[in-house]
Amino acid sequence: MAELTQDDLMFRKGLMKGQRILITGGGTGLGKVMAEACLILGAEVYICGRRGGVVEAAAKDLTDAHPPEKGGGKCVGIACDIRVPEAIAEMIDTVWADGGALTGLVNNAAGNFISRTEDLSPRGFDAIANIVFRGSFFVSQECGKRWLKEGKHASVVSILTTWVWHGGPFTVPSAMSKAGLNVMTQSLAVEWGSRGIRFNAIAPGPFPTEGAWARLNPGAGTASEKKDPTIPLGRNGEMRELANLAVYLLDPGSAYVNGQTIAIDGGSHLQGGGGFNRLSEWGDAEWEAARSSIQSANEKDRAQRTV
Ligand code: HXC
Ligand code: NAP
């Protein structure tokens, strides 16, 4: 379901008219909400994911909620697996052919699950690193090559975690991969900044989504709880708060911000780290139950994949 209205956003109507944004993993969770904010503000938005039905349904849901006659832009869903460089090139060609260069990219697609590091198989490590670390790099590079060749300005925003600063026990492949993207952000902010391509990142604290909760808090119920006494501000993030920050970084209004990773976590990472340190108390039984709960979430999603 669509989540936002113009009233949730800090920006004037029509701010993003003429902007063209790709959001990887934009069919669900935070990616979908960022897509919605851009769409409400008039942008043309492309969202991708492996489950073709999910991205198409999301594009339709958002377009129905924010049609062009009410000032909305357009939203297009594309089935693409960003682990496959050839599939990325094909998707980016399709996007460019549909209306010209993108003006912004959000590296949002990710995979994650909690696991004791000693239990990870090579395929388990790769399942995460190939999406987050390699996939996000190749999408950025594929867009970057075209922007540089055409002399276009653009903004890239990568969705990281606060683990890039203090590590992520029990989520080591994710923490390592996100840390790699943090360094990509800093490196390309310099290498491509002089040619008009900015790189920034957002490090969210907990924003309840179905995808994250199934894999990080298995068996803990729905993704709807708001209060969390372990966070200095006492609650999880709200979708509109993240969407506003993403729009700010994508828009030329933030043209002098480059190479930054901004935490949006209620101050959580400053209070003893925001990771899964508490899982040190778990024994074999808890880990077996968590693994089986995560794997049934994976199976349910995999059955819907069309690529
Ligand atoms: C140990 C596990 C495991 C688990 C999977 N594996 N789950 N190992 N513990 N809980 C292992 C499998 O056994 C297998 O290795 C390998 O990983 C690949 O598993 P598949 O199910 O075949 O993988 P695949 O279909 O490619 O799915 C990728 C995925 C899945 C990453 C495992 O979770 C996924 O599609 N996720 C996308 C959505 C997602 O994760 N969203 C959450 C983002 S939240 P073997 O050797 O057995 O074959 C996020 C939040 C961070 O990042 C911050 C919060 C504060
Ligand atoms: P989510 O709903 O599970 O989003 C992940 C998205 O990535 C899904 O739409 C998934 O779609 C897509 N994806 C995964 N592998 C892909 C691939 N190979 N190719 C293309 N798309 C792929 O979870 P979320 O909570 O919204 O997470 C979004 C981002 O926020 C992630 O980067 C996550 O690390 C970050 N984050 C989230 C939180 C939080 O509390 N929610 C906190 C910190 C950071 P398919 O399965 O259809 O491919």
Side-chain angles (χ1 to χ4, degrees), residues 17 38-45 63 66-69 71-75:
K17 242 184 182 13
C38 296
L39 181 71
I40 290 173
L41 295 169
E44 295 178 6
V45 187
T63 310
H66 311 290
E69 56 274 19
K74 83 170 184 186
C75 184

Side-chain angles (χ1 to χ4, degrees), residues 50 83 111-112 121 123-124 215 291 295 298 302 305:
R50 293 164 297 178
R83 293 173 298 186
N112 205 350
S121 66
R123 286 195 67 232
R215 293 163 177 101
R291 185 174 179 136
Q295 284 180 331
N298 291 345
R302 199 165 35 242
R305 281 185 208 161

Side-chain angles (χ1 to χ4, degrees), residues 85-274:
E86 298 74 23
I88 295 172
E90 198 180 311
M91 169 176 67
I92 302 298
D93 280 341
T94 304
V95 169
W96 247 251
D98 188 49
L102 287 168
T103 60
L105 163 68
V106 182
N107 286 314
N108 166 79
N112 205 350
F113 52 75
I114 49 166
S115 172
R116 290 185 289 206
T117 301
E118 61 270 34
D119 294 340
L120 284 169
S121 66
R123 286 195 67 232
F125 181 88
D126 287 348
I128 292 166
N130 287 347
I131 304 171
V132 181
F133 183 71
R134 294 181 83 246
S136 306
F137 170 77
F138 287 121
V139 177
S140 305
Q141 189 201 33
E142 207 54 57
C143 292
K145 285 194 286 192
R146 287 167 178 75
W147 286 323
L148 294 174
K149 192 165 161 222
E150 296 170 18
K152 302 281 190 200
H153 287 201
S155 170
V156 178
V157 177
S158 297
I159 308 301
L160 308 180
T161 69
T162 55
W163 309 337
V164 302
W165 296 304
H166 55 68
F170 304 103
T171 51
V172 169
S174 167
M176 288 171 65
S177 300
K178 299 278 192 185
L181 294 185
N182 196 35
V183 173
M184 178 185 84
T185 299
Q186 295 168 324
S187 308
L188 291 179
V190 175
E191 190 178 331
W192 291 350
S194 60
R195 287 179 279 173
I197 305 168
R198 295 187 293 131
F199 275 77
N200 290 292
I202 296 175
F207 282 77
T209 65
E210 214 181 301
W213 257 232
R215 293 163 177 101
L216 301 176
N217 298 310
T222 63
S224 61
E225 63 265 35
K226 289 196 167 65
K227 290 198 174 136
D228 184 339
T230 67
I231 294 170
L233 293 187
R235 63 171 176 86
N236 291 323
E238 289 179 15
M239 293 300 197
R240 66 192 169 91
E241 295 168 331
L242 181 98
N244 277 307
L245 180 54
V247 169
Y248 170 70
L249 290 173
L250 285 169
D251 190 80
S254 63
Y256 206 48
V257 182
N258 190 26
Q260 300 307 303
T261 297
I262 300 173
I264 176 165
D265 71 340
S268 181
H269 77 285
L270 301 172
Q271 181 173 269

